[in-house]
Structure formats: structure tokens, C-alpha cells
Amino acid sequence: MTALPPKLEAVVNMFQKSPKAFRLQALLDFSKRVPALPERLKANHDQMEQVHECQSPFFLFSEVQDGQVHLFFDAPQEAPTVRGFAGILLEGLEGATPEEILNVPDDFYFNMGLTELITPMRLRGMGAILTRLKKQLSA
């Protein structure tokens, strides 16, 4: 398996080593870590890309500054699963290089023990978020 960026690897390892009940709580905790959008994106929401594969409305924006990727996500508070995915990606990929993110395996999240907690459709949403992020960074 391709090496994950160190921060993402730490998140994956934490989920792998945790009991099922803790993984669910951790996913919910990550959902609370997604900050509000900066005013420049709130005012120009059309700059964000919607990830239609997600069951809840989900929007993504990325930018590269000084060789580091900065991520911005927008999802309803009432959608803790997709917000949890966003929180995991934010924790694991914020500040990484575009190359590091492009090398993240598309299915890295299957190693986190989430298949016991959430439906395959919701897991596909996480994959779609990563795919869109990689597409933005490739452009």
C-alpha cells in the first residue's frame, strides 16, 4: 500500500486500533472539527464543488499556497457522518503537498474499520470526496 501522509496515517491507525464503539464516537468527534467556511467562500459558494455522490449536500474547495494544500468543506450540521469524513480528511491532509494527496489510495478508508459502522453508500461518499479533491489538485 502507498504510504499515507503522516497525519492521515495517524488517524487511520487510531481507528484501526480502536473498538467499534470508540470508532463511532471518534467519527462523530471528527464531525465537530470541521470549521465554518471563511467569509470569502460563504459569499462565493459557487466557487465550491458539490460532491453529488454524498447523500447529504456536501461542498469542497481546495487551494494550494506555498506548496501546501488547504481544504474547505461545507456540509450540514445534521449530517454527522459526512462531516466526520470531512473532519478526517481535514485532520489528515490539511497542509500536505498536492503530490502526497494525489498518492493517497482511493480506498484508504476501508482500513479504518468503518465498514462495521456505516453503509457502503456512505463510504462511497467518502471515496467521492477524495476523488473530487484529487481532481481539483490535478487541474
Side-chain angles (χ1 to χ4, degrees):
M1 181 170 154
T2 304
L4 297 173
K7 292 190 305 182
L8 184 59
E9 185 173 10
V11 173
V12 170
N13 287 339
M14 184 267 303
F15 272 88
Q16 283 177 337
K17 294 175 181 176
S18 299
K20 183 177 178 179
F22 181 83
R23 288 193 306 265
L24 181 58
Q25 186 57 49
L27 185 63
L28 295 175
D29 288 345
F30 275 101
S31 76
K32 297 173 186 168
R33 298 182 191 185
V34 178
L37 290 175
E39 287 303 318
R40 67 186 172 93
L41 289 176
K42 282 183 186 175
N44 297 295
H45 205 264
D46 58 330
Q47 290 182 353
M48 300 189 79
E49 182 176 0
Q50 185 170 3
V51 180
H52 294 282
E53 294 88 344
C54 291
Q55 288 184 308
S56 301
F58 186 91
F59 296 85
L60 159 71
F61 180 80
S62 64
E63 61 187 4
V64 180
Q65 291 180 336
D66 300 322
Q68 294 184 315
V69 176
H70 301 287
L71 304 171
F72 304 91
F73 301 115
D74 189 25
Q77 293 288 337
E78 305 79 33
T81 302
V82 73
R83 286 184 66 84
F85 294 159
I88 288 168
L89 293 174
L90 192 62
E91 178 79 18
L93 299 178
E94 176 67 21
T97 66
E99 294 76 25
E100 287 174 317
I101 294 174
L102 291 170
N103 287 326
V104 170
D106 293 336
D107 61 354
F108 83 92
Y109 51 90
F110 282 119
N111 295 321
M112 297 175 67
L114 296 175
T115 55
E116 299 175 358
L117 303 172
I118 51 183
T119 66
M121 183 176 284
R122 291 200 183 274
L123 281 174
R124 281 192 296 278
M126 186 172 196
I129 294 167
L130 181 60
T131 298
R132 294 288 170 87
L133 173 59
K134 288 180 171 185
K135 181 180 166 195
Q136 286 183 8
L137 294 174
S138 294

